[in-house]
Amino acid sequence: MLRSGAALVLLMFTGLLLALTPLGFFGWSQVGGNGSHVELNGAREAVFVIRRTNSGPKRDPDTHGYAYLLSPPINLPAQWRSIQIRGVWWREPAARSNYPELALRVHARYPLFAHGNERYGRRDANFLHIGIRSWRPSVYFLEEGADGTSARSSSRKARFPDAPRAFMLVITRDNDGRVGWSYFESERGRTWREVFRNYHSRLFDGTDARRIFIKLGGWNTWEYPVTNRLHVRDLEIEVSTWRDDDLPGNFDLNELNALKDRPQRTLQAYSRKKRRQHLEEGSPKTDRMEQASHCDAPPYVLNASENRYYNGLQEALDAARPGAVIKLGCGVYHGHFHIRKQVTLESADGQRSAILDGGGTGIVLRVDGKRAVVRKLEVRNSGIDDRIYLFWLGSGILVTAPEVRLDSLLVRNNGNGISARGAIGLRITNSEIRHNRFDGISFEGVRKALVRNVRVQNNGGGILVTRLVTLPGNTWPRDLAKLSRIQNESRPSSRVIITHNRITGNGSYGIAVSWYSHHCTISHNTVDNTGLEVKPDFAPEKRFFEFYTRQTPWPGMSKADYLTQIRQVLAEDERDAATGILLSCEAHDNEVVKNIVVSNAGDGVTLFLVNNNRVKRNLIRTNRTGVLIVSGSRSNRVFGNRIQSNRDHGVAIGDYLLERAESRPTRNVIARNDIQNNVRGDALDVSTTVYSPRKIEDLVRKRFGSLADKMSKYPTLQRSYQDYFKPGKNDWDDGRLGNHYGDFDEAAEGFRDENGDGISEVPHAIPGGSAVDAHPLNRARGQEETASVPDLPASLAR
């Protein structure tokens, strides 16, 4: 069961003092009628055996088959704040009928009747009834006040539980004595979902609100030759209070008993040591404050706009008016928090001394409030969800609202550091994001965002800009075709600016712009040591593919062919890993300008199946390949870069390490670059290679398996793949100026400059195929064309 603390939990129950306690069913009254009865499976589980009715359908309660358990009186503290009743219930799947009802009742007065209210013209008063009916897809709520008048409502957000389902009823009371309640459900350990809420309950009208009775059970209104077995187990109750003269406490029974004979001041000190816990978005989560070792005083939550203190952060966020400033004292704030309004949340001392800690579960801070501001905090320890497309479920900060500002933050030890989904106008500035399992920053379907002066270090991936994929129910669909439709309907990111950041030591990539994302600018960043300090993690991708190998493959595709594709895709992904800056999967019209991309385990800049992007005036050195252009990339321009001292080639078009079964790059322009001192050669272009029919068949077999067997039988299919693999045509000059090559800038190497303009009259043949640079440059002209490229900082010089 979900564990949630509360403030002072002092519960008198059958003569015992209990705090946050499970309720055993031993000692409860058993009531049954018309052949139905209760069976107990130990103290924690009850089975309500509901037999068919004697006659029906009728309203007369004498005809109903029913079975209930009724608790002894549960005495409440005088200053109780909330009551949580939670458990699990369901109907056995065998021999179902369509007509039983499961019911939970809370009585403020002892119930007069075993079942029903109408008999003898009298009615029970002061109770709340929650009934889930199997003959209608809904849950209904019946409430009786002190005068016997009733209020009835219903919701279609819940259905009859034919599998174990957790339920929770939360009854709250404010400072003025007003009572409200909310009903929640959760299936298979998922997040709690609110089914219904009532702000004005009459449960305690005319009473002193000092005790309740709990009634659980089921009944049947129709004659039907089936016996239903309804289960309830793991019932728990929790009562929270706070006192005007004390801070809220979360008491442990053993510790409290040890202190009960001590002076009152000792109990008060103990109360101050313990911190209140309460709800997060329909789900009870811890929200408690703790004094950290670096703090000189206990933490506090202050609404500075109203000069009002609160006992918990979420309480302050919920109570704040738009425009409010919430200040946090030095300390650790445990829980999961949700900003729904335009508020500012910050450390009181401006030193990141306030820490939001998720305790290793869920999303630590969710921001849904337009124009909210979060600054000068540390956010850490979210949950981890390693399913592709669902990494955001374990985020330090999740932003969905427009125009949010995140400034001067430390975000560490989460799944994703910061996730933004569908947000517009987000600004992330002056922050440090490190040691997160997956991406430091993930933009999904984001527009007009800015990342500036941020250090992104030692994360699974640095900064990812990609499309927004929304999976129904946050689960992978089992049908590959359905997943493909969801992907095709996704929304790309656009107009994201990533500038003046230090991105170092991340795993799979430093910066990645992917899946149709467009008009993004990557400028003035330093990207280094990718794949060296944190190794690329392929486990989530392998788990994804393993899941779909157990499902039905694409129509017309065998499982063997699908496995062939998976092996090829994994090989390509491992080849592209640890890249400094990666543009991939139809990203277009993006600009990479004036960055320092050095000392990455993979390639410096990779263009993978992208078009109309510009890579210009960057310093790219000591990577594997400086600039790699592969897989059908077209109409990209690589201009004015200084590409030096890379371990393989300076610029390579076509993959020379892993032959890919994909169309060749074409119509790309590489000009005015200074390319020199690269170990395996300054330039390579294998895109012009002409493939024979046999070679094309081998490539198809490598990627698509048995589809290759059909090529010889179907000439049309063969011709289509010959067109698919036709040679590319890329330009190594812009018609006037080419590039400077360190291995072609002297007369001994074939360079001829008769008129002294720094341009050779002799073309330079690019190794790997038939491509040529018609206007290669000498060293001086190459340095002139790249004069605006940033210099390597002394701290990165090797």
Side-chain angles (χ1 to χ4, degrees):
M1 289 299 297
L2 183 66
R3 298 287 302 275
S4 175
L8 178 60
V9 184
L10 299 175
L11 180 61
M12 293 302 299
F13 179 63
T14 62
L16 296 177
L17 181 66
L18 301 176
L20 184 55
T21 183
L23 296 181
F25 294 126
F26 292 156
W28 289 40
S29 301
Q30 299 186 21
V31 183
N34 293 333
S36 301
H37 65 278
V38 181
E39 298 177 356
L40 295 182
N41 292 339
R44 299 301 307 280
E45 181 173 348
V47 182
F48 303 96
V49 182
I50 311 298
R51 303 192 185 279
R52 67 176 185 174
T53 61
N54 294 326
S55 62
K58 290 183 178 180
R59 293 288 184 180
D60 185 354
D62 285 340
T63 68
H64 299 168
Y66 63 86
Y68 292 102
L69 281 171
L70 178 64
S71 76
I74 301 174
N75 295 317
L76 304 175
Q79 295 177 328
W80 68 270
R81 177 69 172 177
S82 71
I83 307 167
Q84 296 178 22
I85 302 169
R86 50 189 181 267
V88 179
W89 58 14
W90 75 97
R91 172 176 60 176
E92 287 187 11
R96 298 173 182 164
S97 77
N98 292 325
Y99 306 113
E101 174 181 313
L102 260 172
L104 165 66
R105 277 196 181 195
V106 178
H107 291 260
R109 301 178 187 268
Y110 189 83
L112 298 175
F113 304 107
H115 176 66
N117 295 321
E118 296 84 357
R119 195 177 183 189
Y120 311 122
R122 299 179 62 190
R123 303 176 68 90
D124 274 332
N126 296 105
F127 71 84
L128 168 62
H129 176 95
I130 300 173
I132 300 185
R133 301 168 291 193
S134 58
W135 65 93
R136 291 182 183 176
S138 65
V139 56
Y140 76 93
F141 309 93
L142 177 65
E143 195 167 3
E144 298 277 357
D147 57 0
T149 58
S150 62
R152 189 182 183 98
S153 54
S154 64
S155 171
R156 291 184 175 270
K157 292 184 180 180
R159 296 178 179 271
F160 199 81
D162 286 322
R165 181 184 303 162
F167 65 88
M168 177 172 63
L169 174 65
V170 181
I171 304 169
T172 59
R173 183 172 65 169
D174 65 15
N175 293 333
D176 298 324
R178 291 186 296 263
V179 175
W181 54 265
S182 296
Y183 175 70
F184 303 88
E185 288 192 346
S186 174
E187 292 187 85
R188 297 189 294 274
R190 296 176 182 167
T191 302
W192 287 94
R193 176 174 58 92
E194 187 175 56
V195 176
F196 195 82
R197 178 185 298 179
N198 181 8
Y199 290 101
H200 305 289
S201 173
R202 295 181 293 175
L203 175 61
F204 293 102
D205 287 359
T207 73
D208 60 1
R210 292 296 302 274
R211 68 175 182 172
I212 59 173
F213 302 85
I214 298 176
K215 190 175 180 180
L216 281 166
W219 58 289
N220 196 349
T221 62
W222 289 68
E223 182 175 5
Y224 202 84
V226 171
T227 297
N228 283 272
R229 296 175 63 85
L230 311 178
H231 293 248
V232 178
R233 75 175 184 211
D234 297 334
L235 191 69
E236 294 181 340
I237 186 169
E238 177 184 331
V239 181
S240 68
T241 76
W242 68 44
R243 293 166 47 185
D244 293 336
D245 60 343
D246 203 357
L247 294 175
N250 179 21
F251 286 80
D252 177 86
L253 181 60
N254 294 329
E255 294 179 356
L256 187 62
N257 286 335
L259 295 170
K260 65 183 180 180
D261 295 325
R262 303 291 294 277
Q264 181 66 20
R265 61 179 180 274
T266 304
L267 292 174
Q268 291 176 350
Y270 176 74
S271 175
R272 292 187 178 94
K273 179 182 176 182
K274 300 293 184 175
R275 295 296 173 180
R276 185 169 179 259
Q277 304 170 338
H278 61 102
L279 297 176
E280 180 251 341
E281 197 178 18
S283 167
K285 300 287 185 182
T286 59
D287 178 4
R288 59 186 176 87
M289 298 179 286
E290 177 182 66
Q291 184 170 339
S293 58
H294 64 277
C295 302
D296 297 329
Y300 60 87
V301 180
L302 170 66
N303 184 327
S305 302
E306 301 176 1
N307 197 28
R308 180 178 178 182
Y309 289 87
Y310 288 86
N311 294 299
L313 173 54
Q314 189 61 53
E315 179 187 4
L317 293 172
D318 292 341
R321 297 176 180 178
V325 177
I326 308 297
K327 293 184 177 290
L328 302 181
C330 179
V332 182
Y333 298 78
H334 297 275
H336 306 85
F337 308 101
H338 196 161
I339 298 176
R340 301 178 177 88
K341 306 170 186 176
Q342 180 187 347
V343 300
T344 297
L345 178 64
E346 62 184 5
S347 287
D349 61 3
Q351 301 296 320
R352 297 181 186 168
S353 61
I355 302 169
L356 307 187
D357 191 312
T361 63
I363 298 166
V364 183
L365 177 63
R366 180 167 184 152
V367 185
D368 293 338
K370 182 178 180 180
R371 297 177 182 168
V373 178
V374 182
R375 61 191 178 199
K376 298 176 181 177
L377 299 174
E378 179 179 338
V379 182
R380 69 187 189 192
N381 295 337
S382 76
I384 301 291
D385 195 316
D386 65 350
R387 294 174 295 171
I388 288 177
Y389 299 128
L390 296 171
F391 293 161
W392 62 271
L393 289 173
S395 297
I397 302 175
L398 172 65
V399 179
T400 60
E403 301 179 47
V404 172
R405 291 180 56 192
L406 307 178
D407 181 67
S408 302
L409 302 175
L410 170 59
V411 184
R412 63 184 181 93
N413 297 338
N414 304 286
N416 273 358
I418 298 174
S419 297
R421 291 175 55 82
I424 302 173
L426 170 64
R427 296 170 62 89
I428 305 173
T429 55
N430 307 315
S431 298
E432 184 177 355
I433 302 170
R434 54 184 171 86
H435 297 105
N436 298 288
R437 167 74 182 277
F438 302 118
D439 293 315
I441 300 174
S442 174
F443 291 133
E444 301 176 39
V446 169
R447 291 181 288 160
K448 299 180 181 179
L450 170 68
V451 182
R452 184 182 179 91
N453 195 27
V454 175
R455 186 180 184 92
V456 183
Q457 181 176 4
N458 295 139
N459 305 284
I463 301 176
L464 173 65
V465 182
T466 186
R467 60 187 175 181
L468 174 61
V469 176
T470 302
L471 300 181
N474 293 330
T475 58
W476 289 336
R478 295 184 177 276
D479 185 356
L480 273 169
K482 182 177 181 180
L483 175 63
S484 179
R485 288 194 299 271
I486 293 172
Q487 292 171 331
N488 292 335
E489 294 168 358
S490 61
R491 184 176 69 203
S493 296
S494 64
R495 304 189 185 281
V496 175
I497 299 174
I498 302 170
T499 184
H500 292 88
N501 304 288
R502 176 68 186 278
I503 301 165
T504 179
N506 299 287
S508 297
Y509 41 77
I511 302 172
V513 180
S514 183
W515 288 113
Y516 304 96
S517 297
H518 57 90
H519 293 95
C520 299
T521 301
I522 303 170
S523 70
H524 299 89
N525 302 285
T526 299
V527 184
D528 65 284
N529 287 322
T530 307
L532 296 176
E533 298 175 17
V534 175
K535 300 300 181 183
D537 182 9
F538 300 103
E541 190 172 17
K542 291 178 180 178
R543 178 187 173 188
F544 178 81
F545 285 130
E546 287 171 359
F547 175 83
Y548 280 106
T549 56
R550 297 193 296 268
Q551 316 306 322
T552 304
W554 293 95
M557 180 189 298
S558 69
K559 184 159 288 189
D561 289 347
Y562 183 63
L563 290 171
T564 297
Q565 285 204 31
I566 289 174
R567 284 191 291 269
Q568 180 69 10
V569 169
L570 287 173
E572 293 172 3
D573 288 348
E574 291 183 14
R575 164 69 175 91
D576 296 331
T579 295
I581 298 176
L582 170 66
L583 307 184
S584 67
C585 301
E586 300 292 352
H588 62 90
D589 295 290
N590 302 289
E591 188 170 82
V592 179
V593 57
K594 288 195 173 182
N595 299 281
I596 298 174
V597 186
V598 298
S599 302
N600 297 287
D603 304 315
V605 177
T606 297
L607 307 181
F608 176 95
L609 193 60
V610 295
N611 60 88
N612 295 316
N613 300 283
R614 293 166 299 283
V615 179
K616 58 184 183 181
R617 297 195 292 277
N618 301 280
L619 175 62
I620 305 171
R621 57 175 290 164
T622 58
N623 307 286
R624 182 170 55 201
T625 294
V627 178
L628 177 66
I629 306 174
V630 292
S631 298
S633 294
R634 58 199 180 277
S635 302
N636 301 285
R637 297 171 66 86
V638 181
F639 267 55
N641 301 281
R642 194 176 300 159
I643 306 171
Q644 303 171 346
S645 305
N646 294 287
R647 298 186 299 278
D648 285 353
H649 296 85
V651 178
I653 301 180
D655 198 338
Y656 56 95
L657 293 180
L658 177 67
E659 200 166 46
R660 304 174 192 247
E662 294 175 336
S663 60
R664 261 84 68 79
T666 190
R667 301 197 302 275
N668 300 287
V669 181
I670 299 93
R672 308 191 184 207
N673 301 287
D674 183 6
I675 311 173
Q676 58 178 311
N677 299 326
N678 298 285
V679 175
R680 295 185 62 180
D682 291 332
L684 178 74
D685 188 345
V686 298
S687 67
T688 59
T689 305
V690 177
Y691 290 157
S692 66
R694 178 61 181 273
K695 179 66 172 179
I696 292 174
E697 184 176 329
D698 290 343
L699 287 173
V700 173
R701 189 181 306 281
K702 183 178 181 180
R703 183 62 181 263
F704 302 109
S706 62
L707 179 64
D709 298 332
K710 302 177 182 179
M711 294 185 63
S712 59
K713 301 179 183 179
Y714 301 100
T716 303
L717 180 64
Q718 190 173 46
R719 284 195 298 271
S720 68
Y721 273 101
Q722 287 173 345
D723 291 339
Y724 186 68
F725 291 117
K726 67 182 179 182
K729 175 63 174 70
N730 300 284
D731 296 322
W732 287 81
D733 59 75
D734 62 5
R736 191 171 70 88
L737 297 177
N739 304 279
H740 166 243
Y741 305 92
D743 54 8
F744 189 80
D745 59 358
E746 298 177 358
E749 297 166 336
F751 189 90
R752 297 288 186 272
D753 181 12
E754 301 296 341
N755 59 10
D757 62 356
I759 304 173
S760 175
E761 288 80 27
V762 177
H764 175 47
I766 304 299
S770 58
V772 297
D773 183 342
H775 307 286
L777 309 178
N778 64 14
R779 183 182 301 272
R781 190 64 183 268
Q783 292 175 349
E784 178 184 336
E785 294 297 330
T786 60
S788 60
V789 170
D791 293 325
L792 184 68
S795 61
L796 294 177
R798 298 200 174 177

